Amino acid sequence: MVFPRSYNGFKVGSDELKAQHYSPEFFVECQNAVIHRTTVADVLVGEVSQVTDSRAVMCSDYPFYGMINYIAGGMKPLIFNNTCWSWGPIATSFLQKGAKGYIGTLWGVKDDSAASTAVAFYENMKTIPIAEAIHMAAHQHQPAEDKDIYVFYGFPFTALHSINQDMESKKLVLLQLTRRREFFLRNRRTTTDTKVQQRLDFIIAWHDIAIQGIQG
């Protein structure tokens, strides 16, 4: 997955970017273009029917197998796995480790519909419970035969509280990332296992990039 900081010079999450009124499909095409090393103009715009076996989250060649124990720096995040057949057993793993809730799909979700549903969901969840927000978003943007594709694991009336100031949110995320980095750094200093040291170096480097991104 690619996490760009801007599109055409407009910062991600800014009012200026929203004002451009890009379609959800545009952002999906940009992701695919980066992954396949093409340009958006070169991408054949067509329906992506499904992402096969996306319920099985894999971290091949990366040392993140046990990271689920530390999801979101000890906070209680909402997991929205907006991919095909993602309702499966992995939901239990997230919930057991403290996730506030988990949203998955019961069968193959269409790519453009999934993007539109996600945009509507994130807007809706600011004012209504999570279960109601995903239900409303799906019924607005999924084809008739797919309106009941999403399933929510968690307390039915769970709601998220928004922070009024972006800076407050950034400070909280920065604090949690810094704490987790120090945790892994202490382990790096005490272990003598070369393989573990290499994996911890990778994780610490990831935290450094994330922290630098927040600090600008």
Side-chain angles (χ1 to χ4, degrees):
M1 182 57 69
V2 179
F3 299 97
R5 296 183 180 179
S6 64
Y7 288 94
N8 293 335
F10 300 103
K11 187 177 179 181
V12 171
S14 66
D15 293 335
E16 290 77 12
L17 179 59
K18 290 182 180 180
Q20 306 310 305
H21 299 295
Y22 291 121
S23 68
E25 291 81 5
F26 167 77
F27 298 102
V28 174
E29 291 169 21
C30 287
Q31 292 279 349
N32 291 334
V34 173
I35 292 171
H36 298 294
R37 297 183 180 181
T38 61
T39 66
V40 173
D42 296 330
V43 175
L44 176 63
V45 180
E47 181 179 309
V48 179
S49 61
Q50 60 191 36
V51 181
T52 304
D53 289 332
S54 57
R55 67 185 181 279
V57 177
M58 298 182 66
C59 302
S60 179
D61 298 326
Y62 294 97
F64 293 109
Y65 296 106
M67 292 293 288
I68 194 172
N69 290 299
Y70 305 105
I71 56 175
M75 294 184 287
K76 296 183 179 297
L78 168 68
I79 310 299
F80 184 13
N81 192 357
N82 195 14
T83 53
C84 299
W85 302 290
S86 54
W87 64 272
I90 191 172
T92 302
S93 298
F94 279 109
L95 294 173
Q96 287 178 340
K97 297 303 178 183
K100 186 184 297 290
Y102 179 96
I103 299 172
T105 61
L106 294 173
W107 54 85
V109 61
K110 295 177 175 60
D111 198 54
D112 55 348
S113 299
S116 299
T117 298
V119 172
F121 167 70
Y122 286 120
E123 288 294 329
N124 293 341
M125 74 175 191
K126 297 176 181 179
T127 56
I128 58 178
I130 293 170
E132 185 178 348
I134 189 61
H135 174 80
M136 182 182 298
H139 277 248
Q140 289 173 340
H141 297 283
Q142 291 293 323
E145 66 273 17
D146 288 343
K147 287 185 177 180
D148 295 320
I149 190 171
Y150 291 97
V151 57
F152 171 63
Y153 296 82
F155 186 63
F157 304 107
T158 296
L160 299 179
H161 300 285
S162 61
I163 296 179
N164 294 327
Q165 300 294 327
D166 289 342
M167 189 56 65
E168 292 181 29
S169 180
K170 287 185 177 181
K171 286 181 179 179
L172 180 59
V173 173
L174 182 60
L175 175 62
Q176 297 295 343
L177 283 172
T178 302
R179 286 179 174 176
R180 296 316 305 173
R181 183 188 183 280
E182 289 301 317
F183 169 81
F184 291 114
L185 185 60
R186 288 197 300 270
N187 281 274
R188 173 63 174 83
R189 290 167 177 165
T190 57
T191 184
T192 57
D193 188 310
T194 302
K195 189 173 183 178
V196 173
Q197 288 176 345
Q198 292 174 347
R199 292 185 172 184
L200 287 172
D201 286 339
F202 186 96
I203 294 172
I204 293 169
W206 180 90
H207 280 74
D208 288 337
I209 293 173
I211 290 171
Q212 291 172 7
I214 295 175
Q215 292 176 331

